[in-house]
Amino acid sequence: MILPLEITNLRKRYRDGIVEAVKGVSFNVNPGEIFGLLGPNGAGKTTIISTITTLETPTSGEVKVFGMDVTKDPMFTKRQIGVVHQEVINSGFFDVEEILQFHSGYYGLRKNTERIHFVLNKLALYEHRKKKVKQLSGGMKRRLMIAKALVHNPKLLLLDEPTAGVDISLREDLWKFVRELRGAGMSILLTTHYLEEAEQLCDRVGIINLGALACLGDTKEIIRQYTQKKIRVVLTEPLHLRSQFLIEEKGKEMLFIVPQNKPLGEFLSEVAIPTNLIKDVHIEEGDLEEAFLKLVSNNKEVREAL
Ligand SMILES: Nc1ncnc2c1ncn2[C@@H]1O[C@H](COP(=O)(O)OP(=O)(O)O)[C@@H](O)[C@H]1O
Ligand SMILES: [Mg+2]
C-alpha cells in the first residue's frame, strides 16, 4: 500500500544548530487518518514539517510522500500536499480572493474560482473575500492560511499548530472542519502542544520531545495503556469495606482505582458490595493528559525537557 507519508530514521541538524533538532524519527501517516505530532516547544515538530515540504533537507533518513522521496521530486511533493505554517504570513496589499487566485496559479490552476469559492464558504470567509488581509481579524487570517493550503485539493494536509492563539469557539469550528476533510478522504498531519486537541482530533499520535519520539500509537490505546480507570460508587448508606482498589471513602461515596482491563461486573463481584446498597456507579476514564504525565514520569528523556 502506498502511504501518504512515510518518515524513516529522520535526522536533522541545522548548520548553525548546537543540538540535533530531530534525532532519528520514524512514523507514517495512513490514508484518511488524522495523525498528531504532540510535544512541547522546541521538540522538533516544525523541523519535521519543513523537511516534508522540502523547505529543509534531512541530514539523514528518508521522507516519502505517496511513495516518492521528497528530495528526489520536490514538485511532485508540493502538488500532493497542502501546508498551513505556524506563523501567520501577512500579505496586506491584496484581497482574500486575489491571494487565493495567485496561490492557485502557483500550482498551474488558472480557472480555479469554483474551488476557491467552495473553500471560502467552508471556512466562513466568502463574505470577506474582497477584504484586504490587513482588514482581517486574527481568526480570519488563520482561516485564510488554511484556504491557501486547500486551493489545489491536496491529498495530504500538514497543519503546524493550527490553533495556537485561536479562541475557543473558532478552535472548535476548525476541529469540525478538519474532521470533515478527513471524512472526504484527506490524510492529515497536525502538530500541537494542546493535549486536549490531540485527544479530540487525532486517530493516532506521536509524542515527541528533544527531537525523539517518546511514544507512538493509537490515541485511545495510549490512554488505555497509561491511565487508570476510576470507579466511584455511591451507596444508600455508609459501609466499611476492605479492597485493594479502594483509595478514598467519604460517607456514602467510595472511590476505587481499577486496572483498565478489569470489567465492571468482575470488579463489583470482587468488592462484594451488596447490590441493594448501590445507588449509583460512575466510571471515569483517563485522558491524554493523564497518559502524558505518566509517560513523562516514566521517561527520563521526556522529563528532562519539561
Ligand atoms: N532554522 C533553524 N536554525 C537553527 N536551529 C533551529 C532552526 N529552527 C529550529 N531550530 C532549533 O531546532 C529545535 C526544534 O525546533 P522546532 O522544530 O521549531 O520545534 P517545535 O516546532 O516543536 O517547537 C529547537 O532547538 C530550535 O531552536
Ligand atoms: Mg513549531
Side-chain angles (χ1 to χ4, degrees):
M1 183 175 46
I2 295 179
L3 295 173
L5 179 69
E6 284 169 275
I7 295 188
T8 315
N9 237 328
L10 176 67
R11 287 183 179 273
K12 175 67 188 178
R13 184 187 285 278
Y14 288 102
R15 206 161 284 204
D16 56 345
I18 304 151
V19 292
E20 207 174 19
V22 178
K23 300 172 185 152
V25 163
S26 303
F27 68 91
N28 299 332
V29 173
N30 296 321
E33 80 170 351
I34 304 177
F35 182 92
L37 255 188
L38 188 58
N41 282 331
K45 304 181 296 294
T46 297
T47 302
I48 292 174
I49 299 276
S50 302
T51 60
I52 304 167
T53 59
T54 71
L55 210 62
E56 297 287 350
T57 43
T59 305
S60 67
E62 195 180 49
V63 179
K64 278 185 176 175
V65 166
F66 289 99
M68 179 68 80
D69 184 330
V70 297
T71 60
K72 302 234 162 81
D73 194 345
M75 249 350 268
F76 172 83
T77 305
K78 286 189 178 128
R79 277 196 300 270
Q80 309 303 314
I81 61 182
V83 58
V84 180
H85 294 286
Q86 189 171 354
E87 309 298 335
V88 174
I89 298 158
N90 246 326
S91 31
F93 189 71
F94 299 105
D95 74 32
V96 168
E97 193 165 350
E98 281 166 339
I99 287 173
L100 297 178
Q101 295 285 10
F102 288 142
H103 199 67
S104 301
Y106 172 76
Y107 292 100
L109 303 165
R110 267 165 217 205
K111 295 198 177 108
N112 202 27
T113 310
E114 201 177 316
R115 172 80 189 162
I116 288 171
H117 285 184
F118 171 79
V119 171
L120 284 174
N121 266 313
K122 277 285 167 202
L123 288 160
L125 280 174
Y126 188 78
E127 62 191 279
H128 306 293
R129 69 191 185 284
K130 296 295 173 207
K131 285 188 182 156
K132 308 255 191 264
V133 173
K134 59 178 184 240
Q135 296 169 281
L136 302 180
S137 70
M140 288 179 204
K141 280 185 194 149
R142 178 79 51 184
R143 263 140 58 209
L144 172 59
M145 290 182 57
I146 298 175
K148 270 177 78 176
L150 294 171
V151 287
H152 61 302
N153 204 1
K155 290 194 236 148
L156 173 64
L157 181 64
L158 311 175
L159 299 165
D160 197 4
E161 310 250 2
T163 58
V166 169
D167 63 57
I168 289 174
S169 71
L170 178 62
R171 199 176 289 181
E172 298 205 335
D173 285 348
L174 280 176
W175 292 354
K176 197 169 144 230
F177 184 54
V178 170
R179 283 195 200 97
E180 243 178 84
L181 293 171
R182 172 184 58 187
M186 205 175 275
S187 309
I188 295 148
L189 167 65
L190 71 86
T191 77
T192 183
H193 60 270
Y194 296 118
L195 291 155
E196 197 205 334
E197 176 159 273
E199 179 172 348
Q200 293 222 12
L201 215 48
C202 301
D203 303 301
R204 289 191 310 129
V205 291
I207 297 175
I208 185 173
N209 203 41
L210 288 172
L213 276 179
C215 181
L216 175 70
D218 184 278
T219 313
K220 291 202 178 73
E221 204 44 60
I222 290 176
I223 294 172
R224 249 194 302 276
Q225 195 177 341
Y226 293 100
T227 64
Q228 293 170 304
K229 182 152 73 179
K230 295 186 193 73
I231 299 180
R232 189 177 295 279
V233 180
V234 185
L235 304 164
T236 53
E237 57 186 73
L239 180 74
H240 281 294
L241 202 71
R242 269 166 205 262
S243 161
Q244 57 167 323
F245 304 124
L246 183 64
I247 57 153
E248 197 183 292
E249 214 175 349
K250 233 197 268 162
K252 294 179 193 168
E253 271 193 37
M254 292 178 150
L255 184 65
F256 301 87
I257 283 185
V258 180
Q260 283 290 2
N261 54 4
K262 187 173 278 302
L264 181 63
E266 193 181 306
F267 160 75
L268 285 173
S269 72
E270 271 180 39
V271 289
I273 307 172
T275 333
N276 60 327
L277 295 187
I278 298 177
K279 193 173 161 199
D280 220 340
V281 178
H282 303 273
I283 301 178
E284 293 161 25
E285 298 287 353
D287 57 17
L288 195 56
E289 178 159 4
E290 190 188 333
F292 186 72
L293 292 174
K294 185 71 188 279
L295 265 160
V296 169
S297 68
N298 284 356
N299 187 318
K300 194 162 153 275
E301 262 195 20
V302 179
R303 196 165 53 237
E304 276 172 357
L306 299 172

